[in-house]
């Protein structure tokens, strides 16, 4: 995948990840649906892992991602 497509995909994943935070908070406030919350948290974790993987790939290509991933 080329860098610009990877960066676009990364930004979409970040948006989905943030949206899941909102969904989880709203579910926790409104009513207690443990299965739905667990499903959303699992999906959120998957997105974070995918974001991390793409950031690592972009960093290896010399692209600054300004995201979850950083090198010391």
């Amino acid at each position: 995948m080329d860098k610009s497509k990877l960066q676009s995909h990364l930004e979409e994943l970040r948006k989905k990840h943030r949206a899941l935070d909102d969904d989880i908070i709203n579910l926790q406030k409104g009513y207690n649906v443990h299965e739905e919350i667990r499903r959303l948290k699992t999906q959120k974790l998957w997105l974070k892992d995918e974001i991390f993987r793409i950031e690592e790939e972009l960093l290896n290509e010399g692209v600054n991602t300004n995201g979850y991933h950083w090198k010391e």
Side-chain angles (χ1 to χ4, degrees):
M1 208 181 259
D2 69 32
K3 290 178 191 176
S4 63
K5 285 183 182 180
L6 214 49
Q7 285 178 306
S8 294
H9 183 58
L10 176 60
E11 196 53 40
E12 284 302 310
L13 290 172
R14 286 178 176 160
K15 287 177 187 176
K16 289 178 182 180
H17 189 260
R18 285 188 300 266
L20 284 171
D21 273 337
D22 294 338
D23 291 345
I24 290 167
I25 289 168
N26 288 333
L27 280 171
Q28 288 174 330
K29 285 181 183 176
Y31 51 91
N32 201 2
V33 182
H34 295 293
E35 283 299 314
E36 184 66 10
I37 291 170
R38 188 175 56 100
R39 184 187 68 76
L40 291 173
K41 286 183 176 182
T42 300
Q43 185 178 2
K44 187 174 178 268
L45 182 59
W46 182 89
L47 287 169
K48 187 172 183 177
D49 288 345
E50 186 67 6
I51 289 166
F52 192 85
R53 185 192 66 75
I54 291 172
E55 285 178 344
E56 177 72 14
E57 188 173 333
L58 286 168
L59 284 170
N60 288 336
E61 293 289 327
V63 177
N64 184 2
T65 63
N66 297 319
Y68 296 114
H69 198 105
W70 62 89
K71 288 191 176 187
E72 296 179 12

